Amino acid sequence: MPIRSFILIITWIWAFGATGAELDKESITLQAALFKAYSANPAIAASQALADAEHAAIQSESFLEDPKVGLMRENNMSFMQMQQGPMDSISVSQQFKFPVKYILSNKSQSAKANQAEEMAKQKRLEVRTKVVSAYYSLYSVDRVLALLNAQRESLREIARIAETRYSTGGVPQQDEMKAHVEQTLLEKDTLMVQEELSTIQAALSAAMGDNSRKEIALPKEELKIPEVTIELAEIPKQIELHSREIKVAQFAVVESETQKSLSYLGYAPDFSLNYRRMLGSFGFQNAYSASIEFTIPLWFFAKQSNEVSSASSRAIEAQKKLESIKNDKTAEAKSLTAKVRSFKRVLEVYQTGLIPQAASTLNSSRASYRAGRSGFIELLDSERSLYNVRIAYYRILSQFTESLSKLEEIMGRSLSTLPFGEIE
């Protein structure tokens, strides 16, 4: 009975531990990871809140200022004034800018709001790049770790073969020792990859806005190589039509040019309408007064002229910045396009040539070593070659996906079969 109870307790502990380990993992697809990032990433939420704030300010920039209401009562009057009655009055005044200023202020704020909106979309693209890159990096490192574990088992098999042949005097003991050295080196590589895996896990969780600290588990199926859905040669030609950063700079030019026009209107007069009505005995006589005031740019040499100069310089800055961004993004698009094209060709070479050839070479080397027709060094070289080729394939897949997602980020549109999500 005690033995049965002990076995039952051990079984419960093992089951609970396994369940807890599964609960600490979260299996998620790339599409689900992007959806979670778009809805939970704080940087995206902050940029969208800024855009909403700028849009809400459009109407207030082109509306009248609050009117002023005043009340006047005259004290310490003379005897004759006291005979006539108190001279109390109420006044209302309203300021008006030169009418065109309202139109230009609205246009300037609209351009500023459009900038914020495009910046919010650009932030979503940046977060998407982080999620896609981290997801494929996690997939690649996970597969590399699986390959290292498989290589460990393969080395154990090779070590057993060496031990068997050594026991029969077929090979020197040095072969067995070399196999153990290779196993030790492999353990070191495995530890480094496990550390890399933890780093990528943290980066992906941060990009998704996930603070649960759950370990992210990938689906078991293999991730396909993303297919480019547009002619690569056409991508740099379309960057000015779709790039969010270029659109931000274009709206900045509109805002600066509008502010420049507003600065010239600083010479135009603003108005103030005033109405005053008497109270008391004078109120029965319908006594009132009305006036209009307007500003005179008397100090134009110190105010308006400097404002025009400042606004003109800012307009030049915005225009030159737009030209610089266009040049930089076009160059970056060309560079990334070349990388995507190169990585895609290299992946095809690995799939169709290097991996099958390395696998065939290893099988041949194992058979030759068992038969005593080749040495242990040749077998180890074949073993390393196969696993290094497979590991390099996953590393290049990660680099290919990172370059492709970065290219989609600066282009501001989907260019491949990678999930894109809602950016607009």
Side-chain angles (χ1 to χ4, degrees):
M1 187 70 174
I3 296 177
R4 291 182 180 179
S5 300
F6 176 75
I7 294 175
L8 183 60
I9 291 172
I10 293 298
T11 304
W12 283 349
I13 293 174
W14 176 84
F16 180 78
T19 305
E22 292 298 324
L23 289 175
D24 287 337
K25 292 187 177 182
E26 179 185 7
S27 180
I28 190 169
T29 63
L30 178 55
Q31 185 72 46
L34 284 174
F35 178 80
K36 189 170 184 178
Y38 290 157
S39 59
N41 187 282
I44 291 178
S47 61
Q48 189 57 54
L50 176 61
D52 294 340
E54 296 294 351
H55 278 291
I58 292 176
Q59 188 174 2
S60 64
E61 285 292 327
S62 57
F63 207 74
L64 298 175
E65 298 291 336
D66 292 334
K68 297 179 180 179
V69 178
L71 182 64
M72 186 188 76
R73 180 178 180 84
E74 187 173 357
N75 293 320
N76 299 325
M77 295 182 294
S78 64
F79 178 77
M80 184 177 297
Q81 290 174 330
M82 294 177 62
Q83 291 294 323
Q84 293 176 346
M87 295 181 63
D88 296 340
S89 65
I90 185 171
S91 63
V92 179
S93 63
Q94 176 67 62
Q95 292 183 332
F96 297 89
K97 294 180 182 179
F98 193 75
V100 183
K101 291 183 179 179
Y102 291 106
I103 299 174
L104 293 179
S105 295
N106 184 287
K107 183 178 179 181
S108 177
Q109 183 59 35
S110 296
K112 193 174 181 180
N114 288 331
Q115 286 182 69
E117 190 66 38
E118 293 299 329
M119 289 169 64
K121 293 175 183 178
Q122 179 63 28
K123 180 57 66 175
R124 291 170 72 88
L125 287 168
E126 291 173 3
V127 171
R128 174 186 178 270
T129 298
K130 291 180 180 179
V131 171
V132 172
S133 299
Y135 192 89
Y136 267 85
S137 294
L138 183 63
Y139 167 76
S140 298
V141 172
D142 182 71
R143 292 302 184 268
V144 167
L145 193 59
L147 285 172
L148 291 176
N149 291 330
Q151 189 177 7
R152 182 191 298 119
E153 296 301 321
S154 180
L155 283 173
R156 287 175 181 172
E157 182 182 350
I158 291 175
R160 285 194 294 269
I161 296 173
E163 290 173 3
T164 302
R165 293 198 61 200
Y166 169 70
S167 63
T168 60
V171 296
Q173 189 179 10
Q174 188 178 8
D175 286 2
E176 181 183 352
M177 296 173 63
K178 288 179 180 177
H180 291 308
V181 170
E182 287 292 325
Q183 287 177 318
T184 304
L185 292 174
L186 190 62
E187 292 295 334
K188 181 261 295 181
D189 293 338
T190 302
L191 289 174
M192 294 180 65
V193 172
Q194 287 174 342
E195 182 180 351
E196 184 182 1
L197 184 69
S198 300
T199 302
I200 298 173
Q201 288 261 8
L204 182 56
S205 296
M208 293 191 301
D210 185 4
N211 298 321
S212 64
R213 297 183 180 179
K214 287 185 178 180
E215 183 179 349
I216 299 173
L218 300 178
K220 295 181 180 180
E221 60 269 13
E222 290 282 329
L223 290 180
K224 296 181 180 179
I225 299 176
E227 294 293 332
V228 181
T229 57
I230 186 174
E231 184 63 34
L232 289 175
E234 297 297 320
I235 290 177
K237 302 176 184 178
Q238 300 180 9
I239 190 163
E240 291 188 24
L241 299 176
H242 303 285
S243 173
R244 301 297 175 184
E245 292 185 72
I246 292 179
K247 288 183 178 181
V248 170
Q250 288 172 338
F251 283 121
V253 170
V254 174
E255 182 191 3
S256 63
E257 291 291 344
T258 306
Q259 288 294 330
K260 180 180 176 181
S261 299
L262 269 172
S263 68
Y264 280 108
L265 287 176
Y267 294 101
D270 293 336
F271 303 93
S272 178
L273 295 179
N274 301 281
Y275 173 81
R276 176 174 294 178
R277 184 175 181 83
M278 299 299 179
L279 301 176
S281 58
F282 287 92
F284 292 103
Q285 301 174 13
N286 294 323
Y288 69 91
S289 66
S291 65
I292 181 171
E293 298 175 342
F294 59 89
T295 59
I296 299 176
L298 183 61
W299 317 118
F300 69 92
F301 57 88
K303 181 174 174 61
Q304 282 81 2
S305 61
N306 289 332
E307 289 177 349
V308 170
S309 178
S310 175
S312 299
S313 297
R314 292 185 183 277
I316 295 174
E317 178 204 10
Q319 186 63 48
K320 295 303 179 182
K321 189 174 181 180
L322 172 60
E323 294 177 10
S324 176
I325 290 177
K326 284 182 179 180
N327 293 336
D328 291 344
K329 294 305 168 184
T330 301
E332 191 174 357
K334 290 180 179 178
S335 175
L336 287 171
T337 300
K339 285 184 179 180
V340 168
R341 185 185 292 110
S342 176
F343 284 138
K344 182 172 175 55
R345 290 175 180 173
V346 171
L347 287 173
E348 292 173 355
V349 170
Y350 271 89
Q351 284 184 321
T352 59
L354 289 176
I355 293 178
Q357 290 171 6
S360 176
T361 301
L362 176 60
N363 292 333
S364 176
S365 296
R366 284 185 176 179
S368 297
Y369 183 73
R370 284 193 179 97
R373 294 193 300 270
S374 64
F376 190 72
I377 297 299
E378 289 80 1
L379 178 59
L380 282 181
D381 287 342
S382 299
E383 180 82 14
R384 290 195 205 100
S385 178
L386 174 61
Y387 283 98
N388 287 341
V389 165
R390 286 178 172 174
I391 289 172
Y393 167 79
Y394 286 112
R395 296 293 190 185
I396 293 172
L397 174 61
S398 175
Q399 295 173 4
F400 168 71
T401 310
E402 181 180 359
S403 298
L404 182 56
S405 60
K406 182 64 178 178
L407 181 59
E408 290 178 322
E409 176 191 328
I410 69 171
M411 281 296 296
R413 55 167 295 193
S414 175
L415 305 171
S416 68
T417 54
L418 287 171
F420 198 70
E422 294 296 330
I423 301 297
E424 296 293 340

